[in-house]
Amino acid sequence: TYLLILKQSIRFLYFLYRKLLRPRKDLLNRYGKDTWALVTAGSDGIGKGISEELASTGFNIIIAARTESKMVDLCNELKSKYNVKTEYIVVD
C-alpha cells in the first residue's frame, strides 16, 4: 500500500508541475517572426481571450467570426496595444 500511495503522490506532483510550474513554450521562436494565427469565433469569450494571448506573444492575428463590429473593435485594440497586424473574416 505504501508503494501505491508513493506512486500516486509522484503522479500528482508531476501533474502539478506540468500544469502550473513548467515554463511556457516559446511559440513565436518556434514558428518564426511575422507568423499569423487564425482564431475562429474570436470576437468574444474564449476566442477573444486566445486572440489577446497570441497577440501579446507577438503573433499577427486573423479573426473569423460573425459580428463585424466586434471584430473591428478587437482588431483596433490589438493593433494599438500589442503592435501586431490584424485581419478579420466575416463568417456566417
Side-chain angles (χ1 to χ4, degrees), residues 24-82:
R24 295 175 62 175
K25 294 180 181 178
D26 186 5
L27 296 177
L28 193 61
N29 187 30
R30 181 176 183 178
Y31 294 111
K33 189 177 179 181
D34 205 33
T35 301
W36 289 83
L38 172 66
V39 181
T40 57
S43 60
D44 350 293
I46 294 172
K48 182 178 179 181
I50 291 172
S51 298
E52 291 176 357
E53 186 67 27
L54 288 169
S56 72
T57 60
F59 280 93
N60 297 317
I61 305 294
I62 301 172
I63 301 169
R66 292 192 295 178
T67 312
E68 185 174 7
S69 61
K70 288 181 183 180
M71 288 188 289
V72 169
D73 293 341
L74 181 59
C75 285
N76 291 333
E77 178 185 333
L78 295 176
K79 282 180 191 177
S80 64
K81 192 172 182 180
Y82 300 111

